[in-house]
Every structure is written in C-alpha cells, then in structure tokens.
Amino acid sequence: MKTLCQEESIKVPKGIKITIKSKIVEVTGKHGTLKRDFKHLPIELWLANGGKEVKARMYFAKSKQLSMLRSVCSHIANLFEGVAKKFEYRLRLVYAHFPINANIVNGGKTVEIRNFIGEKIVRTVHMLPGVTCEKSATTKDELVVSGADIELTGRSSALIHQSCLVKDKDIRKFLDGIYVSSHGVKED
C-alpha cells in the first residue's frame, strides 16, 4: 500500500552552515565543507524554521521506498558530525610471529606496510582525499585513520585492511592482518 505523504526532519546543530540547492546538500563547519548529492532520489529536500531544520518529504511511496527518507536524514546527520567533530577508525596490527611494520609517510597521506607474514614486498596504501593516518600515541601497533567525510574515512581504513589479506593459507590459522578495532566520532 502506498503512503500519500511522509516527512522526516533533522535539526541543524549550532555553528554549522547548510545550503540545499536542487538536492545538493553543502555543510560547512569548523573541519571544512562537505558536499553530498541526493539527485538520484525522488524526494523533496528543503530548509525549514529559518534554516534551523532540514526536512525531507516523499509522496506516494511504498514502505520500502519510504526507508530512503530516514537514510537521507542519517547521511545529513553524518555530514553534521563530520564537519563538527571528525570521524576516526582505529586499526590494530595483529601478528603471530613476524611483526608487521607500518610507516606513515607523506604527512599522513600514505601508509607503508612491511614484513607482513615475513614477506619482502612493501605494501603502499594511499589515503583518500581529506583523510589522514597516524600511529596511536597510547597503544602499540595501532593506526588511527581520521577525516571529516565518514565514507572516505571508512573506505581508507578498508583499503589498509584489504592490503593485508592472507592468500593461499588457512585463514582460521593465519590470523595476521590489520583489523578495524573501533570506529566512531572523534573524542576531543
């Protein structure tokens, strides 16, 4: 059954500027500007209450299609959190025998991984734009990937994880690799 009209709204936090023009949302905060395009979705997006609230509306949609309303609001909330606080992914270097050696070069833009299961090859992983990587100050064998855009930050940490996959061995026994241990909003 189709719903005639469904609406979702999300409040704009203090200190954040937002513009919506033809379903392109641009959010500006203390950590820069993020832009996101929702043109592929059949929804209405506009600013209400004098720019204090973002509203999304949809007409004549089935329940599966209505789910995109909440998704759009979640994406916009992630933009708000990203420009206000940044996102961070913490990755742990896990090894049984050969210690994995990770070097951060190019000012946090590139990670070089050496000695993975004793291999001589040097794996280089380039961070996506706007994402930086550093070694954790408190924990041994930990990398911290941080950035304002949640998608680019998550993808960068996935690139690091996928660069160290064990091939041609029983992965239940060979558990070496770089794994995401935690992720979320950066604590100031």
Side-chain angles (χ1 to χ4, degrees):
M1 177 161 147
K2 290 193 172 178
T3 310
L4 284 181
C5 177
Q6 182 87 3
E7 209 170 85
E8 279 275 336
S9 67
I10 176 170
K11 291 216 166 14
V12 178
K14 279 192 170 68
I16 286 176
K17 275 178 38 202
I18 177 168
T19 55
I20 299 173
K21 190 166 189 245
S22 63
K23 291 193 218 173
I24 294 177
V25 179
E26 199 167 326
V27 177
T28 309
K30 67 172 185 180
H31 290 297
T33 304
L34 292 178
K35 210 176 194 175
R36 188 137 187 172
D37 192 343
F38 295 108
K39 281 190 177 171
H40 59 289
L41 300 173
I43 60 165
E44 275 181 36
L45 268 180
W46 77 98
L47 285 171
N49 289 357
K52 289 194 173 73
E53 203 171 19
V54 180
K55 291 207 170 192
R57 186 193 284 156
M58 201 173 189
Y59 293 100
F60 304 115
K62 295 185 174 144
S63 61
K64 277 272 169 65
Q65 296 158 330
L66 286 177
S67 63
M68 71 178 78
L69 272 181
R70 190 61 182 263
S71 298
V72 166
C73 288
S74 298
H75 286 315
I76 295 171
N78 282 336
L79 296 181
F80 291 154
E81 288 200 324
V83 295
K85 297 179 187 165
K86 279 195 168 181
F87 289 97
E88 78 171 6
Y89 280 67
R90 292 185 169 271
L91 297 103
R92 297 296 296 266
L93 312 181
V94 178
Y95 49 85
H97 187 271
F98 293 103
I100 301 172
N101 184 341
N103 285 336
I104 289 144
V105 291
N106 202 359
K109 293 265 172 247
T110 311
V111 182
E112 287 182 350
I113 298 151
R114 291 184 168 79
N115 202 29
F116 173 66
I117 334 183
E119 291 176 3
K120 289 277 175 265
I121 186 172
V122 178
R123 295 165 160 79
T124 40
V125 183
H126 299 289
M127 297 292 103
L128 296 166
V131 181
T132 55
C133 183
E134 68 237 7
K135 282 191 174 172
S136 171
T138 51
T139 319
K140 181 179 171 277
D141 291 333
E142 187 173 57
L143 298 175
V144 181
V145 179
S146 58
D149 191 330
I150 189 171
E151 300 213 344
L152 295 178
T153 312
R155 274 171 55 201
S156 297
S157 56
L159 288 171
I160 295 174
H161 170 71
Q162 288 172 343
S163 70
C164 290
L165 296 177
V166 179
K167 304 275 196 254
D168 303 325
K169 291 184 178 64
D170 185 354
I171 56 169
R172 296 169 300 182
K173 179 71 179 160
F174 291 85
L175 298 169
D176 293 27
I178 301 178
Y179 298 98
V180 176
S181 62
S182 69
H183 60 89
V185 178
K186 204 170 191 175
E187 303 299 325
D188 289 335

